[in-house]
Amino acid sequence: MAPKEHTVKNREQERSVRESNIVAAKAVADAVRTSLGPRGMDKMISSPKGDVVITNDGATILKQMEVAHPTAKMLVDLSKSQDVEAGDGTTTVTVIAGSLLNQCQILLEKGIHPTVISESFLLAARKSEEILKNMSQPVDLADRDGLIKAAVTSLNSKVISNNSSTLAPLAVDAMLKIIDPLTATNCDLRDIAVVKKLGGTIDDTELVDGLVFTQRARHSAGGPGKIANAKIGLIQFCLSAPKTDIEQNVVVSDYSQMDRILKEERQYILNMCKKIKASGCTVLLVQKSILRDAVNDLSLHFLAKMKIMVVTDIERDDIEFISKTCGCLPVANVDTFAAEKLGKADLVEEKQTGEGKVVMVTGVPNSGKTVTLFCKASNRLVLDESERSLHDALCVLRCLVKQKFICPGGGAPEMQIAYHLGKYANTLMGMQQYCVRAFAEAMEVVPYTLAENAGLNAIQVVTELRNRHAQGESSAGINVRKGREIGRASCRERV
């Protein structure tokens, strides 16, 4: 009897572990479920430091949550993967995953083996892909209005949905500037910089054919604030007196030696500034340094006398984007600073905006390779949310470039999958039939949640949708905007 008892105990333990994992994952899915769709609720998340974030973006909500359970963490990672790959739909994938796990729990309680369930779910997933491709419609990248509608769909469920008519055309124009609509098969979003600045409103957000630096030009020594036909240099070395390689102090008690040191420092900095001036540089971008001051008052004084505009604290991550935009090369040593490494721009100007000044670089020679979206908002919460929303809209457009197909939204694809998988399950035998039917039922969580969040009668809506899809209306979905329970889905989503 001992081996048999041991086996029973092992199975009991396996069952309890599976239940624990499923419950943890479902808890995460339920936490973000109420934020799904245009009528979904926003979440206010407070960090231990006291920072507050207001958003309904699934990836952002889950990122802020401190999840300890390993299976719950997998759902957070799933949302992150969706954010990287598709950019949007982070809440949807989490809700669907939670619904699938709920069906798994029901199937496990019936005594179906986990391997059979996973194989059947993979079969249903492949079949679902075929169903989506059959109901999708081709999209033309040259059709700007169609792309704007796709971007608006992504923005409609965000906090800044009221400004979608402003942001969507900007996102579409930004993408169309860096790709060829006729031949493009991918879009590198690193060529679109999203720069934030506090002050103004979201309606003041603009598309800049060039660069925007949120830091001001250095005027401590009276340097210029506007340069036409600029030649731009990008340096990664410091325009200040050198320091010793190791941490040590040098004590000088002789006044004549002190004067000599100061003169040497002055001459050392002057020689560097003269080499920069000799190359023809009129605008100098200085990378941020963590070892010592990138510039000091003396170097700023010399550069101001030479009529060179200085912009400091350039982030290392921005170097590649700046080089690609202006056509300049980063210089690591003053001895290699030469005219051929300079970039060009028609105008570099310091402009007043909102709560401070920014430096704008326009008229760059590589126009069409990179663009900058300059976001403005009246407070930090709205500004951060507008940046996240623009990122999602750009990712949706990138998906359309990769796969030039769209299908109706409003829960229509999920209902179509549920209907056709239900019919497909009838052709299967044994346990697979149960599992595929369970997968089909799990898909109905999306239209059910959309209706629930909109304050509609969810059971009545989903039942009516089943009936409409059975009659062949593959694009029938929920129109929560117009307050009608059932309508031809007008929003658009990527396949």
Side-chain angles (χ1 to χ4, degrees), residues 117-135:
I117 297 171
S118 60
E119 286 177 355
S120 303
F121 275 19
L122 286 171
L123 177 68
R126 287 193 291 271
K127 187 68 180 175
S128 301
E129 202 172 326
E130 290 175 22
I131 295 164
L132 285 174
K133 283 182 179 177
N134 290 336
M135 72 178 292

Side-chain angles (χ1 to χ4, degrees), residues 248-462:
Q248 60 183 23
N249 295 322
V250 179
V251 180
V252 181
S253 55
D254 187 359
Y255 287 109
S256 61
Q257 294 298 323
M258 281 184 188
D259 288 341
R260 186 180 170 192
I261 288 171
L262 291 172
K263 283 180 182 176
E264 286 293 333
E265 278 188 9
R266 183 184 176 89
Q267 191 60 43
Y268 176 82
I269 293 169
L270 180 60
N271 287 340
M272 284 201 292
C273 292
K274 281 181 176 177
K275 285 180 181 178
I276 291 168
K277 178 65 178 174
S279 68
C281 175
T282 55
V283 176
L284 190 66
L285 308 178
V286 186
Q287 183 181 313
K288 185 186 283 187
S289 173
I290 57 170
L291 299 175
R292 57 193 171 104
D293 294 335
V295 292
N296 58 17
D297 291 340
L298 195 57
S299 59
L300 289 172
H301 167 74
F302 287 138
L303 292 169
K305 292 288 183 186
M306 297 171 182
K307 301 296 179 189
I308 296 174
M309 182 193 283
V310 182
V311 180
T312 56
D313 293 338
I314 303 296
E315 295 289 346
R316 185 181 183 86
D317 296 338
D318 298 334
I319 296 294
E320 186 181 347
F321 184 80
I322 293 167
S323 301
K324 194 172 184 178
T325 305
C326 298
C328 58
L329 294 173
V331 181
N333 193 297
V334 70
D335 295 328
T336 58
F337 199 95
E340 59 267 17
K341 294 190 176 181
L342 300 179
K344 295 178 182 178
D346 292 344
L347 183 66
V348 179
E349 184 181 13
E350 194 175 40
K351 286 186 176 181
Q352 181 70 38
T353 172
E355 295 184 359
K357 291 186 176 182
V358 296
V359 177
M360 280 197 179
V361 181
T362 53
V364 291
N366 290 334
S367 180
K369 285 189 177 180
T370 60
V371 288
T372 302
L373 279 165
F374 186 28
C375 287
K376 300 174 192 173
S378 54
N379 62 68
R380 180 63 60 185
L381 292 173
V382 177
L383 187 62
D384 291 342
E385 186 62 20
S386 67
E387 184 199 20
R388 284 191 289 268
S389 302
L390 269 173
H391 170 262
D392 286 0
L394 288 168
C395 286
V396 166
L397 294 169
R398 180 183 64 182
C399 290
L400 283 174
V401 174
K402 284 182 177 180
Q403 292 191 28
K404 300 173 181 63
F405 292 97
I406 53 172
C407 64
E414 289 81 9
M415 285 307 301
Q416 187 75 350
I417 288 171
Y419 171 67
H420 282 286
L421 278 183
K423 286 176 65 180
Y424 175 63
N426 293 332
T427 65
L428 300 172
M429 302 292 289
M431 298 294 185
Q432 275 193 333
Q433 186 179 26
Y434 281 100
C435 298
V436 171
R437 190 173 286 116
F439 189 100
E441 287 176 16
M443 288 294 111
E444 291 183 357
V445 72
V446 173
Y448 187 92
T449 305
L450 287 173
E452 205 174 47
N453 291 347
L456 304 173
N457 186 333
I459 295 173
Q460 183 184 340
V461 167
V462 173

Side-chain angles (χ1 to χ4, degrees), residues 4-16:
K4 191 175 181 181
E5 285 176 11
H6 183 67
T7 307
V8 169
K9 281 183 180 178
N10 279 353
R11 284 181 180 170
E12 285 292 330
Q13 192 176 1
E14 284 174 17
R15 193 177 295 114
S16 65

